Amino acid sequence: MTAAELDVAVVGSGHNALVGAALLAARGRRVSVFEADAVPGGAVSTVERFPGYRVDRGSSAHLMFRHTGIAEELGLAAHGLQYIDCDPWAFAPVPPGTSLPPIVFRTDLDATVDSVAAACGARDAAAYRRFVADWAPRARATMNAFGAGPTAARLGRAFWPTKGRDSVVGMSRAYLASGDALLDEYFDDERLKAALAWFGAQSGPAMSEPGTAPMVGFAALMHTLPPGRAVGGSGALTAALISRLESDGGTVELGTPVTELRRAGRGWRVTVAGPDGPRTVHARTVLAGCHVLTTLDLLAAGGYDSDRVLRWRRQIQVGPGVGMVLRLGTTAPPAFDGVPLQEQSGLGLLTADRGHLARARGDMLAGDPPRRPAVLAMTFSGLDPSIAPAGRHNTTLWAQWYPYALARGDWAALAEAEADRIVGETEHWAPGFADTVEHRYVQTPATLESELGLLGGNVMHVEMALHNMLLFRPVPDLAGARVPGAPGLALAGASMHPGGGVNGSSGRIAARLLARDLRGLARWRS
């Protein structure tokens, strides 16, 4: 196969792009992936950051991907992908000296209800059971809506079964409410509400925003299938996708950035830069899996309507940032009171009240680092010893909210001081933790952009606010994963419906669109 004979040229090797590439190659299509980085997978990748440590560059826990059926559709287990259940899938520790026990969220609903009862009382325990009963079918409907293109008819079919005896108005209110309103409706205990709000806020928006109730409600689905930890690191998913792609004849070229996308006849002329200089690749179709703004730049370089591109660039809301990350090699896991290492299999929700989260969000909007970081702690070496040397641990601290553009100073000067503050906040919950840190790698919003192509430091590409979701992601003109006037091009990645996180659905949607395009081209040729 030569580059001139491609059915599909794929821009970028993020997991959504690779899902689309693998699905198309499985249908017998000639597919090549072009990746600018020397490491494939974008934010779903793992490297040896410290000697003997397998450290994720982006995502760590895969919450949504396991609910999509993509791993089974592509047979990724046969290509080395193995998941370990994160069970417990989350825990909310208490500061030392507090008499109450931690809240531990297990896959088993009864065990979780027992933990809520011990920590928060019988009323909130009963309310939690009711919350799961109400929101599990709604969360399943949301996942169904995420699995196909965001047309009004498809969204209606996905959500309608959850209406039950509720009116359409009542159903709409449930989905359009804020996460905080949902929590206040069900629960009394602020610590429980803060833990679930912090879980929901991993999508980026504050839980005070309209339409964030489903982000909290997604917790109910964790009692069906919990987050998974890929053995060997998050990049094991990327490795399995590439293995499947290559087994069907597809190729991946690293260190080969695409610099231009130009429509040529009924196909595309794709300019790529490599170690031997630029070359032209001819492809019948293109799957663009990079950031939508990057794709628009590539189209503009290829002569696409610059006025349209400028208008979309102004409309697409990348946002002020989301967070920063510390990747740590330690001599011991964080010592949270009442939470031994075997209970630290999921997300450590280090917050006791929603005011903590609100202040951090407000500071970011003002262009300042949060006065008190809100931290999510994950030590997956307890589940998977292969990611750290014997007797050592691999801990990730994700902290929200951090601005990309600082009102004062710059990230190069502030990175280490902010990292110290994040470790200090973790120390508040797990005394002695700072002394266990032997290795540290800091990813600021600026680093996330330069290393992973996450423009503006937004790990979700585009803000996950209500007006940027479903029929509006990233803007209505592009929400169908198509660019007007660019036939044979399909968009994938976190910029597109259904949004950020490890999901893969946008890649599957794009693959279906291009499969249809290729059938149409075959009919035209015949």
Side-chain angles (χ1 to χ4, degrees), residues 72-243:
E72 292 74 18
E73 183 177 353
L74 286 170
L76 296 183
H79 293 269
L81 180 63
Q82 179 185 352
Y83 277 114
I84 303 173
D85 286 351
C86 295
D87 189 12
W89 52 266
F91 60 94
V94 292
T98 305
S99 59
L100 290 173
I103 306 170
V104 181
F105 298 92
R106 304 178 188 277
T107 307
D108 183 86
L109 178 58
D110 291 337
T112 303
V113 168
D114 289 345
S115 178
V116 173
C120 311
R123 187 200 173 282
D124 274 340
Y128 188 85
R129 190 182 294 277
R130 189 171 69 254
F131 159 75
V132 172
D134 291 345
W135 275 93
R138 293 170 184 168
R140 280 193 292 270
T142 300
M143 286 304 302
N144 289 338
F146 285 178
T151 65
R154 286 173 180 155
L155 295 175
R157 286 194 297 270
F159 288 110
W160 186 259
T162 67
K163 183 177 77 68
R165 291 178 293 177
D166 289 341
S167 66
V168 173
V169 171
M171 182 178 71
S172 299
R173 179 183 179 276
Y175 286 104
L176 297 177
S178 71
D180 281 342
L182 180 157
L183 292 165
D184 289 337
E185 180 179 336
Y186 281 89
F187 306 115
D188 292 330
D189 188 89
E190 179 59 27
R191 191 159 63 100
L192 175 60
K193 289 191 277 191
L196 291 170
W198 191 210
F199 173 85
Q202 297 312 302
S203 296
M207 291 300 98
S208 57
E209 293 188 13
T212 53
M215 297 175 185
V216 173
F218 193 71
L221 208 55
M222 299 298 97
H223 296 288
T224 302
L225 182 63
R229 175 64 186 176
V231 174
S234 189
L237 171 57
T238 292
L241 286 167
I242 291 175
S243 175

Side-chain angles (χ1 to χ4, degrees), residues 150-517:
T151 65
R154 286 173 180 155
L155 295 175
R157 286 194 297 270
F159 288 110
W160 186 259
T162 67
K163 183 177 77 68
R165 291 178 293 177
D166 289 341
S167 66
V168 173
V169 171
M171 182 178 71
S172 299
R173 179 183 179 276
Y175 286 104
L176 297 177
S178 71
D180 281 342
L182 180 157
L183 292 165
D184 289 337
E185 180 179 336
Y186 281 89
F187 306 115
D188 292 330
D189 188 89
E190 179 59 27
R191 191 159 63 100
L192 175 60
K193 289 191 277 191
L196 291 170
W198 191 210
F199 173 85
Q202 297 312 302
S203 296
M207 291 300 98
S208 57
E209 293 188 13
T212 53
M215 297 175 185
V216 173
F218 193 71
L221 208 55
M222 299 298 97
H223 296 288
T224 302
L225 182 63
R229 175 64 186 176
V231 174
S234 189
L237 171 57
T238 292
L241 286 167
I242 291 175
S243 175
R244 175 59 202 257
L245 171 66
E246 292 178 340
S247 74
D248 289 316
T251 62
V252 178
E253 295 189 33
L254 302 178
T256 309
V258 173
T259 59
E260 180 182 291
L261 295 174
R262 183 179 294 272
R263 186 73 177 153
R266 288 183 173 266
W268 287 86
R269 193 167 69 207
V270 180
T271 303
V272 299
D276 299 323
R279 74 181 196 271
T280 298
V281 174
H282 295 280
R284 294 181 178 89
T285 64
V286 172
L287 192 160
C290 50
H291 197 291
V292 65
L293 294 181
T294 302
T295 302
L296 292 177
D297 287 344
L298 296 177
L299 286 169
Y304 187 81
D305 188 334
S306 58
D307 290 337
R308 266 184 171 177
V309 169
L310 179 60
R311 184 174 74 251
W312 289 329
R313 290 189 68 91
R314 289 182 179 276
Q315 292 174 345
I316 293 169
Q317 185 185 7
V318 171
V322 179
M324 63 179 286
V325 200
L326 302 191
R327 313 289 182 175
L328 306 175
T330 68
T331 59
F336 300 111
D337 271 8
V339 189
L341 176 60
Q342 60 268 29
E343 298 286 274
Q344 293 186 39
S345 63
L347 313 179
L349 305 165
L350 309 190
T351 187
D353 63 80
R354 289 173 293 171
H356 177 189
L357 305 179
R359 285 186 291 273
R361 174 77 176 180
D363 288 340
M364 180 191 73
L365 294 176
D368 297 322
R371 67 198 80 176
R372 180 185 176 191
V375 177
L376 187 78
M378 296 168 281
T379 302
F380 290 122
S381 49
L383 275 180
D384 179 11
S386 74
I387 62 173
R392 295 294 188 268
H393 285 278
N394 186 331
T395 295
T396 291
L397 302 179
W398 163 258
Q400 289 176 221
W401 279 267
Y402 281 83
Y404 171 74
L406 291 160
R408 290 169 290 277
D410 61 71
W411 275 117
L414 292 178
E416 294 301 326
E418 287 305 315
D420 290 342
R421 295 178 64 242
I422 292 169
V423 171
E425 176 63 22
T426 308
E427 175 91 4
H428 170 74
W429 299 87
F433 176 69
D435 292 335
T436 71
V437 177
E438 290 185 318
H439 306 282
R440 184 167 88 174
Y441 182 77
V442 182
Q443 294 173 292
T444 68
T447 309
L448 292 170
E449 179 180 77
S450 61
E451 182 180 353
L452 299 176
L454 298 168
L455 302 185
N458 189 342
V459 296
M460 304 297 176
H461 284 202
V462 176
E463 286 279 88
M464 298 276 280
L466 178 61
H467 63 283
N468 292 325
M469 299 298 287
L470 301 172
L471 295 165
F472 315 115
R473 189 168 188 85
V475 291
D477 285 351
L478 306 175
R482 296 292 205 182
V483 177
L489 171 66
L491 307 175
S495 307
M496 308 309 297
H497 170 76
V502 182
N503 189 305
S505 292
S506 73
R508 182 163 57 186
I509 292 167
R512 289 170 179 168
L513 292 173
L514 294 184
R516 189 184 313 154
D517 291 345

